[in-house]
Amino acid sequence: MKFLHTSDWHLGRSFHRVNLLGAQAAFVDHLVETVREHEVDAVLVAGDVYDRAVPPLPAVELYDRALHRLAELGVPTVMISGNHDSARRLGVGAGLIDRAGIHLRTDPAGCADPVVLADVHGDVAFYGLPYLEPALVKDEFAAQKVSHEAVLGAAMDRIRADLAGRAPGTRSVVLAHAFVTGGQASDSERDISVGGVEAVPASVFDGVDYAALGHLHGCQTINERVRYSGSPLAYSFSEVDHRKTMWLVELGAEGEITRAERIDTPVPRALARLRGPLETLLEEPAYAVHEDAWVEATLTDPVRPDDPMARLVTRFPHTLSLAFDPEGREEETGTSYAQRLRGRSDQEIAEDFVAHVRGGGHADEAERAVLRSAFDDVRTDDSRQETHR
């Protein structure tokens, strides 16, 4: 069984105000051609199809074209909802679309109802496990705690129970949208660590032959059977060193991984992070290779230069981000507000605020628990309101 594992399309997302719809359309073209060229048996999309719950119309149209093209190839597609998707909106018409070979799995209650495909060695059961908001699904799975590990573990127990009741030798693949311990996050993954989503151990997926993960934007291998495909495009400068790919995976007769190959996706424009005095950036010959890249520039001049952006774009016309970090003046000026917040969770920012207004001293465990509860309540309420719209 040969399948293509991808995730985190984030259709409708921009890159520092640059519209990426054309690049996302090029990715869909590449996806369809890869399916055709490699004679893929199934396509897996592990969540975050859209970038927001209510995506812009052009993103919906691109999604619609992608589904039609995959259906025309006659290759089954299994797709789950991620934390950025509206599960109910993405799942509209799932029963009807299912007849065309596009299998949408957006309802947590149906996680143990697999898409069963067959090859010469027998059946492969593909289980779709959409993003699980603990407070909303705890009762569905009778989880012991309101945590990601508890609800994901309970859902996997249900999947393993279904698998145990199938014919001996049935192989298994799970699609999941989760933050697994050992994965490396990046700045573009809003609502992962930033949203309070804790990591779950890879062992939660024990008992299945392959876990096709989405959520983290870097392609990575947690272990041989648990992998992230990553996003097909870069969505932040923190991904400057990412190689954007999809996984082409083959399952053998016994469920062994006989092939796991990275298939590169189209790169609309290279990324570059440049740092130094403005005149150095403008004159250093070594930076010539970045003149056509999307650039994030951090200027280290002791005094802010005049018209820095206007001067930068004369050499780097695609400069999208400009920051200042004067050398030798850290104690006097400190870092910028944005720099202090970069990579920090809402919880950490709130704890820092408590320490600031108190005039010193960190938040204690009771205070941290109150803050965690407040952020969980807000996030859960947002999800609940989205569910009932």
Side-chain angles (χ1 to χ4, degrees), residues 31-76:
L31 172 71
V32 171
E33 183 55 37
T34 300
V35 170
R36 183 183 294 112
E37 177 186 345
H38 291 274
E39 300 180 336
V40 170
D41 297 309
V43 174
L44 313 183
V45 186
D48 279 355
V49 178
Y50 291 121
D51 189 54
R52 65 189 78 156
V54 185
L57 182 57
V60 177
E61 292 172 338
L62 177 56
Y63 168 74
D64 182 61
R65 293 197 300 273
L67 295 193
H68 275 83
R69 294 175 68 184
L70 289 169
E72 288 168 1
L73 289 176
V75 176

Side-chain angles (χ1 to χ4, degrees), residues 330-350:
E330 290 82 3
E331 294 184 3
E332 177 183 343
T333 64
T335 54
S336 71
Y337 181 69
Q339 289 171 321
R340 292 198 303 274
L341 297 187
R342 183 174 297 154
R344 297 179 66 75
S345 69
D346 291 344
Q347 175 84 17
E348 291 170 328
I349 294 169

